[in-house]
Amino acid sequence: MLLREDLEKRELKILSDYAAKSCMSRGRKFPEEKCSTRTEFQRDRDRIIHSKSFRRLMHKTQVFLAPEGDHFRTRLTHTIEVSQIARTIARALNLNEDLTEAIALGHDLGHTPFGHNGEDVLNSVHPGGFSHNVQSLRVVDVLESTSQRQGMNLTEEVRDGILNHTGKGIPFTLEGQIVKISDRVAYINHDIDDALRSQVISMKDIPQPALELFGRTHRERINTMVTDLIVNSDGKKEISQSEEFKEELGKLRTFMFSHVYKSRRVKKEEDLAKVEVVISSLYDYFLKHPAKLPQDLQKIAAEEGTHEAVKDYIAGMTDRFALNIYTDLFVPRSWK
């Protein structure tokens, strides 16, 4: 039988000096008795996978609003792809794969319905603004509570990686830094794949220097970027790309914003208007009718304010749930 103590000893013996060790974790906000068979980071991963917010990711938009096809990415498939890329890098660098996986699986739990467009609308209507990474941390700290536990009570290493997977903050673990870069590698490449499939762009539209450096196929680009990260980070105290790759990936990201993320062929005016109307209308309605919120969110409204509870409720909705609630509240029965 392989027990937690055996796994902890294995980490100390095998992993890189720069790797985060589960037995040396900064711990949880609320002390708990340790699991007999799983390390602290394995336990965090399992809590995230079994959470309601993780399951809801399968019905949240990645880029394409209401895509007509079965193969377009969702927020869940994006999360799985980030996890796969990050784990590959962590394994090659002899870092903690369990911690890397936990951060990757939890990094987007706070995303709104309708992708970044939903995030933009909620950011504009909520007085405190809205950032999905901050909301992801709130999900694991507060919203995913049980009768026995407040939030998921994750380790500090996982919480830090979730909060700092985007933005200016840098995770204090190398595993968190891996997820931060893997997120960008994943979404740029799979969004190119989806954009090509939908014929929003063609291969001739993609900047030639990017194709020459990274490769002409999805597989080649992922492999090339991952290899560069591994080679450039090996034996170092930080995770980074080579300067050439970092610069060219930045240019490719700029191209994606101008030709895909902001493209009217992807985000049609009527779809964008629908997102704004749905989210802003739901926000105003529940702000005026807090008694209509679920029971747990009514408690948050009483303790932290109605704005906070309404923001939590809408951010947690899937695309179809938000549309169904909007239809029930605002569309006349004779129109349904």
Side-chain angles (χ1 to χ4, degrees):
M1 182 183 296
L2 200 61
L3 300 176
R4 171 181 51 80
E5 291 91 340
D6 301 315
L7 296 174
E8 291 173 344
K9 290 176 182 177
R10 179 187 289 180
E11 287 182 355
L12 292 171
K13 182 179 180 180
I14 296 177
L15 293 184
S16 164
D17 291 341
Y18 301 134
K21 314 299 194 301
S22 56
C23 66
M24 301 169 65
S25 170
R26 296 187 184 185
R28 306 178 187 279
K29 185 176 181 180
F30 306 107
E32 295 182 20
E33 183 178 349
K34 293 187 177 182
C35 178
S36 61
T37 57
R38 295 170 298 166
T39 68
E40 294 293 82
F41 300 147
Q42 290 172 342
R43 202 177 190 187
D44 284 357
R45 174 203 59 205
D46 294 348
R47 288 183 180 181
I48 291 168
I49 289 176
H50 290 286
S51 68
K52 298 186 296 294
S53 52
F54 184 78
R55 294 195 294 273
R56 289 197 299 268
L57 294 177
M58 69 183 296
H59 295 299
K60 292 195 177 191
T61 290
Q62 175 64 23
V63 172
F64 289 80
L65 299 173
E68 295 179 359
D70 294 333
H71 300 137
F72 290 90
R73 270 74 171 188
T74 65
R75 189 61 58 183
L76 179 61
T77 57
H78 161 72
T79 294
I80 294 172
E81 291 186 37
V82 173
S83 177
Q84 179 272 318
I85 291 170
R87 287 176 57 196
T88 297
I89 297 168
R91 188 184 304 122
L93 294 176
N94 204 21
L95 298 175
N96 197 309
E97 198 172 331
D98 293 326
L99 172 59
T100 306
E101 184 178 24
I103 296 170
L105 292 175
H107 81 281
D108 269 355
L109 293 180
H111 246 297
T112 64
F114 311 117
H116 288 286
N117 299 102
E119 182 174 5
D120 290 342
V121 177
L122 196 51
N123 181 58
S124 68
V125 299
H126 183 60
F130 182 88
S131 298
H132 77 268
N133 58 315
V134 175
Q135 187 67 15
S136 293
L137 185 63
R138 180 168 172 80
V139 168
V140 302
D141 279 355
V142 178
L143 300 180
E144 281 283 350
S145 296
T146 67
S147 58
Q148 296 82 29
R149 186 182 68 234
Q150 179 180 348
M152 296 188 198
N153 196 29
L154 304 182
T155 58
E156 186 63 28
E157 289 80 1
V158 175
R159 294 179 64 255
D160 169 78
I162 289 174
L163 177 64
N164 293 306
H165 82 270
T166 189
K168 296 181 180 180
I170 304 297
F172 66 76
T173 65
L174 296 191
E175 290 82 0
Q177 293 176 32
I178 287 174
V179 174
K180 189 180 183 77
I181 300 179
S182 296
D183 183 35
R184 177 170 291 193
V185 169
Y187 76 69
I188 288 178
N189 281 290
H190 64 50
D191 292 346
I192 288 175
D193 193 38
D194 282 353
L196 289 170
R197 179 179 296 108
S198 65
Q199 299 183 337
V200 169
I201 60 172
S202 65
M203 286 296 296
K204 63 181 178 59
D205 296 321
I206 301 174
Q208 191 63 33
L211 295 177
E212 293 176 356
L213 182 62
F214 301 136
R216 300 190 64 84
T217 68
H218 180 72
R219 178 185 61 81
E220 289 173 342
R221 288 189 291 272
I222 293 285
N223 184 68
T224 302
M225 292 181 190
V226 167
T227 300
D228 175 77
L229 265 170
I230 292 169
V231 171
N232 203 61
S233 304
D234 186 33
K236 298 180 181 178
K237 296 182 179 180
E238 66 176 0
I239 305 298
S240 61
Q241 301 170 286
S242 63
E243 286 302 317
E244 182 183 17
F245 272 59
K246 184 177 181 180
E247 180 179 355
E248 200 59 52
L249 186 61
K251 293 178 180 178
L252 188 55
R253 182 172 181 268
T254 300
F255 163 80
M256 290 297 291
F257 267 93
S258 61
H259 288 73
V260 178
Y261 303 140
K262 302 294 185 181
S263 170
R264 290 295 177 247
R265 295 185 64 188
V266 177
K267 309 291 179 65
K268 298 177 182 178
E269 290 289 354
E270 57 267 31
D271 289 335
L272 293 175
K274 181 188 294 183
V275 170
E276 183 171 2
V277 168
V278 168
I279 290 185
S280 60
S281 297
L282 290 177
Y283 191 94
D284 290 341
Y285 176 83
F286 287 108
L287 199 63
K288 296 173 182 176
H289 304 89
K292 299 291 186 178
L293 291 168
Q295 197 64 41
D296 57 333
L297 289 168
Q298 289 185 38
K299 182 179 179 182
I300 288 177
E303 295 175 351
E304 302 183 49
T306 306
H307 282 284
E308 192 71 9
V310 173
K311 178 263 296 178
D312 288 341
Y313 189 37
I314 293 176
M317 293 179 177
T318 62
D319 295 23
R320 65 183 184 183
F321 184 78
L323 289 172
N324 287 341
I325 293 295
Y326 176 84
T327 300
D328 289 342
L329 291 174
F330 299 108
V331 177
R333 290 185 180 275
S334 60
W335 293 4
K336 295 179 184 179

